């Protein structure tokens, strides 16, 4: 590895809205942002999208609380990550984007309370649509006497996962 000096700049705005009434709690959050980096002696010292530059992020949640029951649904959406392909000379850059991130989760919890303890039991269903959501992309370059090879590595979030718990 060769250490290099770099700079990063981030611009954005976050919005959050919440409305509670009766047994319902509605929540929505939205972020719009840009993240850029510049590293000395790479890409002719030009700014390029940062490692985790997701321009749009939206999260919507609905919670229903009735007696000792809690039902929650959450949907997360994010635009795709930048995919930076380096050239041998590191003077040019090819930028693409991964697919967007979209995940729907549900949870159901039952509470039992007494004066001396609280028991919670429930089930969660994560990534209900079983979508392959990429959370990180990396390009690894392997070099030997025979030549070099670049390998793309996608790290994705969990697929559909049922989860049962007792607290």
């Amino acid at each position: 590895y060769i250490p290099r000096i770099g700079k990063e700049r981030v611009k954005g705005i976050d919005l959050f809205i919440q409305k509670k009434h009766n047994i319902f709690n509605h929540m929505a959050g939205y972020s719009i942002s840009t993240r850029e980096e510049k590293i000395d002696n790479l890409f002719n010292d030009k700014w390029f999208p940062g490692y985790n530059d997701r321009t749009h992020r939206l999260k919507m949640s609905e919670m229903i609380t009735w007696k000792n029951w809690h039902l929650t649904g959450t949907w997360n959406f994010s635009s795709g990550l930048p995919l930076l392909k380096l050239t041998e000379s590191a003077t040019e850059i090819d930028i693409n984007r991964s697919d967007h991130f979209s995940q729907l989760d549900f949870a159901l919890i039952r509470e039992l309370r007494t004066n001396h303890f609280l028991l919670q039991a429930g089930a969660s269903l994560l990534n209900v649509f079983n979508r392959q959501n990429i959370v990180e992309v990396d390009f690894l370059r392997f070099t030997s006497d025979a030549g070099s090879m670049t390998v793309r590595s996608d790290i994705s979030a969990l697929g559909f996962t049922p989860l049962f718990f007792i607290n």
Side-chain angles (χ1 to χ4, degrees):
Y1 293 99
I2 301 171
R4 299 182 186 260
I5 297 172
K7 296 178 183 176
E8 181 179 41
R9 61 184 178 198
V10 179
K11 299 175 191 172
I13 189 167
D14 297 321
L15 302 171
F16 177 74
I17 298 171
Q18 181 177 19
K19 171 69 175 163
K20 293 181 182 181
H21 63 92
N22 298 329
I23 62 173
F24 301 99
N25 185 358
H26 319 283
M27 291 171 278
Y30 175 73
S31 295
I32 184 168
S33 65
T34 60
R35 180 181 305 248
E36 295 178 305
E37 297 178 9
K38 181 167 73 167
I39 299 174
D40 290 350
N41 302 317
L42 283 179
F43 314 126
N44 293 323
D45 293 330
K46 293 181 183 174
W47 289 94
F48 58 91
Y51 174 73
N52 191 23
D53 178 41
R54 292 190 186 261
T55 307
H56 303 280
R57 295 175 192 245
L58 174 67
K59 183 172 185 175
M60 299 176 70
S61 297
E62 182 66 34
M63 295 176 64
I64 300 171
T65 304
W66 180 69
K67 296 187 179 180
N68 293 325
W69 290 94
H70 304 280
L71 175 65
T72 304
T74 302
W75 177 57
N76 287 298
F77 172 87
S78 297
S79 53
L81 288 168
L83 304 176
L84 307 174
K85 292 186 180 179
L86 305 177
T87 62
E88 283 294 324
S89 63
T91 58
E92 296 178 20
I93 188 169
D94 182 18
I95 303 171
N96 293 313
R97 291 263 172 191
S98 67
D99 289 339
H100 66 277
F101 182 101
S102 179
Q103 183 168 323
L104 180 64
D105 303 326
F106 291 105
L108 179 64
I109 301 169
R110 170 79 166 140
E111 284 186 358
L112 298 172
R113 290 180 183 264
T114 70
N115 290 337
H116 304 288
F117 73 92
L118 167 64
L119 176 70
Q120 293 178 323
S124 295
L125 301 176
L126 305 177
N127 200 0
V128 173
F129 295 129
N130 198 26
R131 190 171 188 286
Q132 183 180 0
N133 288 310
I134 297 173
V135 294
E136 184 177 329
V137 176
D138 198 6
F139 287 91
L140 306 171
R141 179 171 288 151
F142 299 96
T143 304
S144 70
D145 294 338
S148 67
M149 175 177 62
T150 302
V151 177
R152 176 178 161 178
S153 174
D154 291 352
I155 299 171
S156 56
L158 291 173
F160 173 68
T161 306
L163 174 71
F164 303 95
F165 60 90
I166 296 175
N167 293 332

